[in-house]
């Protein structure tokens, strides 16, 4: 069964080999204060610079999940409050976690078909952080680098934090435009779940130090203190970090991945345009995600296509929340091979 | 290289097969809200009851690490303050994390050679939780079930929380005696690091509900709400949970593991008694751990034995903190085979 679900998704076909290598090399028993681990961490960070163009001075940190990252940002960086701009369920969840820690957190909800109107955007001095969900997995929308650039340009004194849980390593992100970026490895990195990535700029590091929040097991200052020596604030998922390292080694530079992702998404969109029973959930091409596609149709057709796909060994992702009965989603993640995607496209074109 | 370190330690020899099975069965891509995951969680909890004798009504929860568990307990269960009884570095760290959340947290430090004198113990009404480090990995001491029983008997109205990071699944713990138990899988469970276990009694669950702490990503009430449906509060390390499930299936019931652990520790102690250059760090047999041994000697001999062991393909664990130059530690964990332990014993007897 090939899974096209955008939750924990297909892992790279080479994983079994890497898992065996990890076992043979003793990585599964490596102490997280040892040179073996510190080298692995440093090398993985270097690979993030080489392959994903993470800028010099930006620091890679390991957490348990994107959910934990939601909280760390408000806990350890936000000084007054965050202004959260979102259109879907994950953006809303992030807002809710942040609001619990800082009740003055503001929600600026936009429609899924809408892009952020930066010109009209008014964010007052009460907000020192702008929170963006770059790729909203629930409704398959995205925010472009150009929009992030425009916000950064309009509000140079504010921090920008960007949720790229299901887009980092799938499309090219201009990390210089924002201060906090995060992701989960079970999406575009094509790895088993259980590891969150958090990337912070020198400005974010300085702000965390200035805020001075300490004492929690995941206080950013404590994490950074450990990370200076390429260590972590708790016994981490060393196995997951090793697998991440191997997958990054294999990866072409992100601009090539980006082109491939976008080209393939166009092929998928063409296939849906070809069908008579389905249409894209998001009609506005400027709002539409490059890594996750949502397709909508009448309830009976959605149920039928999911069943028929399963019969042919393919699992379509369900729609999210209220959209579950009337939509399905397809992950356009790099670990899915072109051959697998072609098989799906051939199948979709039958409708 | 066989590692006898008590940090992330030797994993079970069958792990490669289980890793391949996980890949082949698609577990690495399983959604954590799917029936596949829910069944895995439920089955793993049942195995914890069957193999480790976790009582009915006690709930198994998954976290990122023991470090996170330290915090969850004070955050979500403690209503007034905890009284922490400890002799070593990890007990002290737990106290410090707890104190940050609740400044009234009390430290009752005892000597490593000392056992808890329950008769003389006076814990006032200001403390609603007693925190014990059942197995203190830093100095290789332990607290017996009988001592926990005596505390529970003396203070039936208080909660007891027990750190068994490096003893759970290695010795028999009487879970009925306390309300909160936790561990990490990279110790006696013989698994790769990256997963913490938290076990809570019905009394602890009721107390968490009564306290009503919510809103944090790891609020115990939120975790419990998810766990009711065998789901988790974040995308968990599904791979790690699958490996835990497989290892639990293989495990004999804990009383047999317990006997084996204690018998083997006696053999190790005999080997050290046989040497002229080393002695056990902990002289009091009642205070000494069954799963971790600390051996002390002159700095030059410690350095020499560690080097020689490496030459023979065996890695001894370093002493912890200030004890590093004058001691080494040996993990007596179930994943280490008798053959490997015999090789170590033969080696030790040369000194």
């Amino acid at each position: 069964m090939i899974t096209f679900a955008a939750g924990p998704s297909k892992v790279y076909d080479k994983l079994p080999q890497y898992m065996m290598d990890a076992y043979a090399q003793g990585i599964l028993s490596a102490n997280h204060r040892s040179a073996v681990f510190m080298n692995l961490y440093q090398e993985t960070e270097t690979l993030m610079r080489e392959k994903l163009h993470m800028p010099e001075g930006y620091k890679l940190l390991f957490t348990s999940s994107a959910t934990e990252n939601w909280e760390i940002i408000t806990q350890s960086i936000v000084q007054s409050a965050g202004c959260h701009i979102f259109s879907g369920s994950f953006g809303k969840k992030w807002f809710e976690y942040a609001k619990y820690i800082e009740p003055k957190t503001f929600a600026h909800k936009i429609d899924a078909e809408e892009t952020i109107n930066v010109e009209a955007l008014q964010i007052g001095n009460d907000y020192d952080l702008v929170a963006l969900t770059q790729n909203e997995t629930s409704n398959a929308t995205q925010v472009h680098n150009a929009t992030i650039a425009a916000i950064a340009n309009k509000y140079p004194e504010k921090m920008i934090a960007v949720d790229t849980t299901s887009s980092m390593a799938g499309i090219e992100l201009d990390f210089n435009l924002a201060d906090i970026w995060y992701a989960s490895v079970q999406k575009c990195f094509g790895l088993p779940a259980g590891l969150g990535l958090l990337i912070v700029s020198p400005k974010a590091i300085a702000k965390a130090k200035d805020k001075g929040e300490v004492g929690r097991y995941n206080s950013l200052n404590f994490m950074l203190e450990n990370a200076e020596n390429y260590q972590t604030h708790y016994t981490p998922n060393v196995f997951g970090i090793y697998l991440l390292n191997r997958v990054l080694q294999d990866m072409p530079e992100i601009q090539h991945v980006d082109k491939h992702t976008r080209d393939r998404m166009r092929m998928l969109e063409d296939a849906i345009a070809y069908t008579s029973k389905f249409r894209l959930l998001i009609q506005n091409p400027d709002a539409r995600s490059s890594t996750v596609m949502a397709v909508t149709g009448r309830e009976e057709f959605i149920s039928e296509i999911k069943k028929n796909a399963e019969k042919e060994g393919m699992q379509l992702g369900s729609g999210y929340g209220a959209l579950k009965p009337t939509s399905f989603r397809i992950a356009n993640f790099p670990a899915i091979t072109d051959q697998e995607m072609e098989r799906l496209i051939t199948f979709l074109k039958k409708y």
Side-chain angles (χ1 to χ4, degrees), chain A:
Chain A
M1 182 73 71
I2 312 161
T3 179
F4 291 95
S9 55
K10 200 204 151 191
V11 296
Y12 277 105
D13 294 328
K14 283 191 174 171
L15 258 281
Q17 183 56 53
Y18 300 159
M19 294 179 332
M20 289 303 100
D21 290 349
Y23 180 79
Q25 290 170 29
I27 289 290
L28 305 187
S29 306
N31 189 293
H32 61 292
R33 308 271 172 224
S34 70
V36 169
F37 177 76
M38 284 153 53
N39 289 339
L40 175 67
Y41 186 165
Q42 186 163 18
E43 198 182 290
T44 307
E45 193 182 61
T46 301
L47 284 164
M48 289 288 285
R49 296 194 205 285
E50 287 172 9
K51 298 299 176 76
L52 296 189
H53 303 166
M54 187 177 105
E56 276 305 317
Y58 279 55
K59 192 78 201 156
L60 171 68
L61 302 165
F62 300 109
T63 62
S64 66
S65 64
T67 311
E68 186 180 5
N69 294 343
W70 283 339
E71 202 164 280
I72 291 171
I73 295 164
T74 307
Q75 169 189 280
S76 299
I77 298 180
V78 169
Q79 280 174 314
S80 50
C83 172
H84 287 239
I85 308 173
F86 58 88
S87 72
S89 301
F90 291 102
K92 184 163 180 276
K93 279 192 183 178
W94 181 10
F95 160 70
E96 283 161 358
Y97 278 94
K99 196 177 165 62
Y100 179 78
I101 297 176
E102 178 43 69
K104 291 199 303 287
T105 303
F106 185 76
H108 178 70
K109 190 162 182 327
I110 62 170
D111 188 81
E113 290 288 353
E114 202 184 330
T115 56
I116 301 169
N117 182 342
V118 182
E119 224 170 287
L121 195 65
Q122 290 300 337
I123 308 175
N125 291 332
D126 291 351
Y127 306 101
D128 58 327
L129 180 127
V130 183
L132 304 172
T133 301
Q134 191 278 326
N135 197 71
E136 173 57 63
T137 324
S138 71
N139 60 18
T141 58
Q142 74 176 335
V143 177
H144 289 282
N145 280 327
T147 307
I148 304 175
I151 298 172
N153 194 44
K154 188 167 178 176
Y155 298 108
E157 77 292 352
K158 296 191 197 297
M159 294 263 139
I160 301 178
V162 194
D163 182 334
T164 62
T165 301
S166 50
S167 57
M168 190 188 289
I171 58 166
E172 187 162 15
L173 300 163
D174 187 349
F175 291 109
N176 287 296
L177 298 173
D179 302 293
I180 303 143
W181 299 82
Y182 60 87
S184 286
V185 299
Q186 73 272 18
K187 310 277 187 170
C188 288
F189 286 97
L191 289 165
L195 188 62
L197 306 181
L198 180 61
I199 293 172
V200 284
S201 74
K203 192 172 143 193
I205 295 170
K207 199 157 182 218
K209 286 194 180 150
D210 188 48
K211 181 173 183 182
E213 189 273 329
V214 289
R216 297 291 297 200
Y217 98 98
N218 60 8
S219 292
L220 188 56
N221 286 316
F222 182 44
M223 291 168 66
L224 287 165
E225 195 185 296
N226 276 279
E228 264 178 41
N229 301 317
Y230 295 102
Q231 293 188 359
T232 56
H233 56 302
Y234 68 113
T235 310
N237 184 347
V238 180
F239 191 12
I241 297 169
Y242 174 83
L243 296 176
L244 170 64
N245 181 292
R246 293 297 299 265
V247 159
L248 284 170
Q249 284 183 37
D250 288 344
M251 246 183 86
E253 263 186 63
I254 191 66
Q255 68 272 26
H256 306 297
V257 178
D258 183 281
K259 185 178 180 314
H260 187 244
T261 300
R262 289 177 202 273
D263 287 350
R264 223 162 62 168
M265 187 49 103
R266 265 189 293 276
M267 285 167 59
L268 266 170
E269 288 171 351
D270 289 349
I272 296 302
Y274 195 91
T275 67
S276 59
K277 291 176 179 159
F278 302 105
R279 63 175 182 84
L280 294 174
L281 179 71
I282 303 300
Q283 292 294 300
N284 178 0
D286 282 340
R288 216 183 278 150
S289 167
S290 304
T291 53
V292 180
M293 170 184 267
V295 180
T296 183
R298 275 170 49 199
E299 200 165 331
E300 70 250 45
F301 296 138
I302 295 294
S303 164
E304 185 193 321
I305 197 169
K306 282 169 72 181
K307 268 185 216 145
N308 289 344
E310 292 236 356
K311 274 185 211 151
E312 299 202 20
M314 294 181 287
Q315 189 187 28
L316 302 176
S318 293
Y320 191 87
L323 297 168
K324 194 165 181 175
T326 57
S327 71
F328 65 84
R329 286 177 299 164
I330 298 166
N332 178 29
F333 294 165
I336 296 164
T337 65
D338 285 347
Q339 210 185 353
E340 288 164 343
M341 200 56 97
E342 277 158 27
R343 215 174 114 193
L344 176 66
I345 286 173
T346 307
F347 168 81
L348 291 172
K349 282 191 172 165
K350 284 190 235 159
Y351 286 82

